[in-house]
């Protein structure tokens, strides 16, 4: 059995991120859209393995949110909606990003992202202090104690808090001149050229417009939805009545959303076409604080059940609240480029339903039999980007390990429940009847699991290929199999091997990949 003993640390965050992007392409996970025409910025296609991983993440979410809650039901609303929807929701007037141009480089940036990136650099300094102290104190090191008492770390943290607070207030008050003043005071330069010659900050609406109708005169201006949530709000009463739902209840959906992002970089982190997994939970007014805490905790448990490392998550409460919210927090994940938003949890009050009542002239109220009264429910929303979750899982899984024999292996340690293929069946050689036995094993297992078959190259190279592909188990058929009906099972993460009977394979795979086992960790 091969053994590994240390992780090879990739040189820096940029290198790690480049490796993630190239691995995603090389192993058939993510391609640039319309690549033969030089691609389309911030638009990506999911390839043969990517589409399976994405589907498995979506299913893992759907199971946890819909199947496991008897008071949450699903919906699949259209991407195109009546244009008044977006007037009512506030997106026509307020779905803007503050943009700033550099006069010398002619490059356009999001003003808030420039400031956040500046803060991320200060945060890197905190990480370095922590790493230094960890090295100095060894096993006795208490990180929580250190970051709450070390004067240098406290100074850095105070600087970050002051900057973000001021930015939040300026954006909230639409004081764009102060956002520019902050950029100048912090001496933030164009990341590409170093120039500090900035224009004023302006607002830019992120919705993509399109037209409905054949003739130009009668065409109706529409928008591609920038969030799936509004499809849920406008269907609230239809679902409540047809499903005889009682408050509190939720409506969940997954689907495409579109945003004309100004800063479209960082691979699939910020895309112009992406997929959301959202759930609106309709509650009694006045109970929003309780439900906000409930969904914060529940969603964090869902993330942690996947085992990507507790230290890679944190909450970030919003200073600047969206136009519809009375409380909001982000679940942030440590991506290769630092902690960034992965999921939003928003207490949306009755803003959306009230707005749709006003703009449509139709009542969107709930009659509460226990109270014998009608009211507009409040809403608690959980909203996660499927593509962002994909990036979190994929980048966390990609590792390089140094083995005992001084070689390295690239391994994609995807949570087995999400892996595109659950096992690969490998005949040791391409003759002597071994491929036929291997194919028979595939045919038996494929009813329940996605199984790969690979007979090309030496078995060691095939193990490496499956490691890099993220396949949790390899099943090798050899000459002894013909006599004893046993095969070798090799585990991706530990590289441990064991001999088992063919009829045990189903249970062995199930034990590794069963959704129930994973979700029960919540
Ligand atoms: N309905 C609420 C809403 O849309 P949001 O914070 O704007 O809230 C929710 O978006 C989630 O959607 C984010 O946490 C992120 O995971 C994902 N998301 C937003 N914009 C994205 C983009 N341009 N590309 C990929 N994912 C995005």
């Amino acid at each position: 059995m091969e053994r590994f003993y240390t992780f090879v640390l990739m040189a820096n965050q940029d290198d790690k991120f480049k490796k993630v992007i190239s691995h995603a392409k090389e192993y058939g996970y993510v391609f640039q859209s319309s690549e033969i025409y030089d691609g389309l910025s911030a638009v990506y296609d999911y390839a043969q393995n990517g589409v399976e991983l994405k589907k498995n993440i979506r299913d893992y979410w759907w199971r946890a949110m819909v199947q496991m809650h008897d008071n949450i039901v699903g919906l699949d609303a259209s991407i195109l909606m009546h244009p008044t929807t977006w007037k009512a929701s506030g997106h026509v007037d307020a779905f803007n990003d503050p943009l700033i141009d550099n006069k010398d480089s002619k490059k356009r940036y999001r003003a808030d992202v420039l400031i956040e990136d500046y803060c991320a650099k200060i945060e890197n300094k905190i990480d370095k202090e922590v790493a230094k102290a960890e090295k100095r104190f060894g096993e006795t090191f208490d990180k929580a104690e250190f970051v709450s008492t070390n004067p240098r770390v406290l100074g850095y943290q105070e600087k970050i808090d002051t900057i973000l607070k001021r930015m939040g207030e300026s954006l909230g008050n639409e004081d764009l001149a102060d956002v520019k003043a902050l950029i100048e005071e912090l001496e933030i330069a164009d990341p590409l050229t170093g120039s500090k010659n900035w224009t004023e900050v302006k607002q830019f609406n992120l919705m993509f417009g399109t037209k409905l109708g054949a003739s130009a005169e009668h065409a109706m201006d529409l928008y591609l939805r920038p969030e799936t949530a509004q499809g849920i709000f406008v269907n609230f009463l239809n679902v409540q009545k047809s499903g005889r739902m009682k408050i509190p209840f939720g409506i969940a959906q997954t689907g495409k959303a579109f945003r004309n992002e100004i800063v479209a970089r960082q691979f699939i982190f910020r895309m112009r076409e992406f997929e959301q997994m959202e759930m609106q939970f309709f509650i009694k007014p006045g109970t929003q604080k309780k439900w906000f805490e409930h969904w914060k905790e529940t969603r964090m448990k869902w993330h942690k059940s996947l085992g990507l490392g507790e230290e890679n998550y944190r909450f970030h409460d919003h200073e600047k609240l969206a136009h519809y919210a009375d409380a909001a927090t982000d679940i942030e994940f440590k991506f290769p480029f630092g902690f960034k938003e992965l999921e939003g949890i928003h207490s949306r009050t009755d803003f959306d339903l009230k707005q749709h009542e006003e703009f449509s002239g139709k009542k969107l109220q709930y009659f509460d039999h226990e109270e014998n009264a009608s009211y507009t429910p409040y809403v608690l929303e959980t909203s996660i980007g499927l593509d962002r979750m994909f990036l979190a899982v994929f980048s966390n899984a990609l590792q390089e390990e140094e083995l005992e024999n001084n070689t390295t292996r690239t391994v994609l340690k995807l949570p087995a429940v999400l892996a595109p293929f659950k096992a690969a069946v490998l005949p040791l050689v391409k003759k002597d009847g071994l491929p036929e036995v291997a194919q028979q094993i595939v045919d038996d297992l494929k009813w329940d699991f996605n199984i790969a078959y690979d007979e090309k190259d030496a078995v060691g190279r095939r193990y490496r290929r499956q490691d890099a592909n993220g396949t949790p188990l390899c099943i090798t058929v050899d000459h002894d199999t013909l006599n004893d009906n046993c095969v070798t099972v090799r585990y991706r993460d530990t590289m441990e091997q064991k001999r088992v009977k063919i009829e045990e394979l189903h249970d062995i795979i199930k034990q590794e990949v069963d959704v129930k086992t994973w979700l029960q960790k919540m």
Side-chain angles (χ1 to χ4, degrees):
M1 187 184 78
E2 293 169 290
R3 299 277 306 281
F4 62 89
Y5 52 94
T6 50
F7 290 136
V8 176
L9 293 175
M10 293 178 195
N12 61 37
Q13 291 186 336
D14 271 359
D15 282 355
K16 161 102 195 193
F17 193 39
K18 280 188 195 139
K19 180 112 205 206
V20 165
I21 298 169
S22 66
H23 195 87
K25 180 171 179 193
E26 192 182 341
Y27 285 87
Y29 278 85
V30 183
F31 300 148
Q32 173 92 64
S33 154
S34 20
E35 195 191 64
I36 57 167
Y37 296 106
D38 296 333
L40 186 62
S41 154
V43 187
Y44 291 91
D45 298 339
Y46 288 87
Q48 67 276 17
N49 282 321
V51 75
E52 296 288 342
L53 174 57
K54 198 175 169 196
K55 175 173 78 60
N56 292 343
I57 298 173
R58 194 190 293 112
D59 285 351
Y60 196 67
W61 181 86
W62 191 266
R63 290 259 205 147
M65 299 299 276
V66 182
Q67 193 170 328
M68 298 308 294
H69 287 98
D70 54 13
N71 61 348
I72 300 182
V73 292
L75 179 78
D76 184 12
S78 300
I79 287 171
L80 299 178
M81 298 181 70
H82 193 285
T84 310
T85 308
W86 306 110
K87 195 77 200 138
S89 66
H91 284 81
V92 171
D93 297 324
F95 194 54
N96 301 317
D97 272 347
L99 67 84
I100 191 165
D101 291 295
N102 187 279
K103 289 185 197 164
D104 296 327
S105 69
K106 311 280 181 248
K107 292 277 173 209
R108 177 161 284 185
Y109 296 95
R110 254 175 71 176
D112 55 337
V113 171
L114 284 177
I115 296 168
E116 279 168 8
D117 285 352
Y118 179 90
C119 292
K121 283 189 191 141
I122 309 179
E123 210 165 285
N124 280 343
K125 290 184 185 168
I126 297 181
D127 287 348
K128 279 191 188 143
E129 292 293 333
V130 171
K132 264 197 303 190
E134 204 164 10
K135 217 167 158 189
R136 205 166 56 236
F137 295 113
E139 281 189 355
T140 57
F141 181 63
D142 180 342
K143 186 176 168 191
E145 163 89 18
F146 179 77
V147 294
S148 61
T149 53
N150 179 273
R152 202 170 290 162
V153 169
L154 288 175
Y156 286 142
Q157 193 55 54
E158 193 186 337
K159 192 165 179 198
I160 294 174
D161 294 345
T162 312
I163 294 170
L164 292 181
K165 185 159 186 280
R166 176 161 160 207
M167 181 181 84
E169 281 168 2
S170 307
L171 288 172
N173 301 332
E174 292 274 318
D175 186 355
L176 299 182
D178 191 56
V179 178
K180 183 184 179 192
L182 184 57
I183 288 177
E184 287 177 337
E185 279 167 39
L186 298 173
E187 300 191 12
I188 295 176
D190 180 330
L192 289 178
T193 63
S195 159
K196 293 176 192 159
N197 194 5
W198 297 109
T199 62
E200 298 307 307
V201 178
K202 283 175 282 191
Q203 293 288 21
F204 173 80
N205 193 287
L206 297 183
M207 282 197 294
F208 278 106
T210 186
K211 288 196 183 292
L212 179 139
S215 73
E217 293 155 77
H218 298 115
M220 190 184 202
D221 286 317
L222 296 186
Y223 296 103
L224 301 184
R225 66 180 177 196
E227 62 172 10
T228 59
Q230 297 305 323
I232 294 181
F233 289 122
V234 299
N235 278 299
F236 154 71
L237 214 51
N238 283 338
V239 173
Q240 189 271 317
K241 289 205 159 134
S242 59
R244 294 186 293 142
M245 307 300 292
K246 274 200 182 141
I247 273 179
F249 74 92
I251 305 178
Q253 79 167 324
T254 69
K256 287 274 172 118
F258 302 81
R259 295 183 190 179
N260 195 0
E261 297 282 0
I262 305 163
V263 183
R265 57 189 163 92
Q266 294 169 324
F267 192 39
I268 54 172
F269 179 81
R270 200 180 301 287
M271 300 157 90
R272 295 201 161 102
E273 174 181 342
F274 58 101
E275 195 166 333
Q276 288 186 315
M277 306 192 286
E278 298 202 298
M279 193 276 299
Q280 316 298 132
F281 200 66
F282 298 91
I283 55 174
K284 209 161 150 182
T287 61
Q288 66 268 34
K289 270 209 171 74
K290 176 184 97 182
W291 287 112
F292 183 61
E293 292 308 322
H294 169 86
W295 282 109
K296 263 176 86 167
E297 196 189 320
T298 307
R299 292 302 304 145
M300 188 58 110
K301 279 190 189 157
W302 179 85
H303 284 283
K304 291 189 174 167
S305 71
L306 286 168
L308 307 189
E310 306 242 330
E311 69 286 2
N312 291 324
Y313 297 92
R314 69 181 187 196
F315 285 114
H316 170 240
D317 294 330
H318 286 206
E319 293 283 344
K320 181 201 168 203
L321 291 171
H323 58 274
Y324 49 73
D326 72 358
T329 195
D330 294 336
I331 294 179
E332 292 189 338
F333 182 76
K334 196 166 187 188
F335 288 96
F337 37 82
F339 272 104
K340 294 273 177 199
E341 174 185 347
L342 171 57
E343 169 158 9
I345 296 158
H346 312 123
S347 172
R348 286 182 84 130
T349 67
D350 56 2
F351 175 85
D352 302 86
L353 291 180
K354 280 249 167 85
Q355 287 290 104
H356 288 305
E357 279 193 321
E358 188 184 326
F359 279 76
S360 68
K362 312 264 163 46
K363 276 240 167 300
L364 288 176
Q365 296 212 337
Y366 170 79
F367 183 74
D368 191 325
H369 288 274
E370 279 163 27
E371 305 267 320
N372 200 23
S374 292
Y375 55 80
T376 309
Y378 268 41
V379 173
L380 225 293
E381 167 184 74
T382 70
S383 174
I384 174 169
L386 175 49
D387 313 85
R388 233 173 243 195
M389 185 63 196
F390 184 112
L391 182 59
V393 169
F394 191 87
S395 58
N396 182 274
L398 186 61
Q399 295 179 13
E400 287 203 354
E401 284 176 355
E402 194 170 301
L403 305 177
E404 267 184 353
N405 57 5
N406 276 344
T407 58
T408 56
R409 73 161 181 160
T410 301
V411 54
L412 194 61
K413 291 187 170 176
L414 296 171
V417 66
L418 302 181
F421 287 94
K422 304 308 184 194
V425 183
L426 321 171
L428 190 62
V429 289
K430 244 195 294 182
K431 54 183 185 182
D432 305 334
L434 303 191
E436 288 75 10
V437 177
Q439 196 57 61
Q440 185 58 52
I441 294 175
V442 173
D443 288 346
D444 289 343
L445 293 173
K446 74 183 178 191
W447 292 93
D448 295 309
F449 310 107
N450 215 11
I451 303 289
Y453 174 81
D454 191 0
E455 59 176 26
K456 199 166 168 285
D457 300 322
V459 76
R461 287 188 69 176
R462 279 180 272 166
Y463 284 155
R464 288 285 175 280
R465 198 151 57 224
Q466 295 301 333
D467 285 346
N469 237 356
T471 312
L473 299 170
C474 282
I475 298 163
T476 307
V477 175
D478 56 27
H479 290 93
D480 289 342
T481 307
L482 303 176
N483 301 320
D484 63 7
N485 254 345
C486 289
V487 288
T488 302
V489 170
R490 173 188 179 271
Y491 290 80
R492 176 197 66 196
D493 295 353
T494 58
M495 293 189 286
E496 236 178 280
Q497 300 188 7
K498 66 177 185 191
R499 196 85 184 150
V500 304
K501 288 203 161 53
I502 290 176
E503 63 258 33
E504 289 171 332
L505 285 173
H506 186 279
D507 286 350
I508 290 173
I509 301 173
K510 187 159 184 253
Q511 199 181 350
E512 294 294 311
V513 308
D514 192 27
V515 183
K516 184 175 168 189
T517 316
W518 286 80
L519 278 180
Q520 275 177 341
K521 292 183 201 157
M522 271 182 78

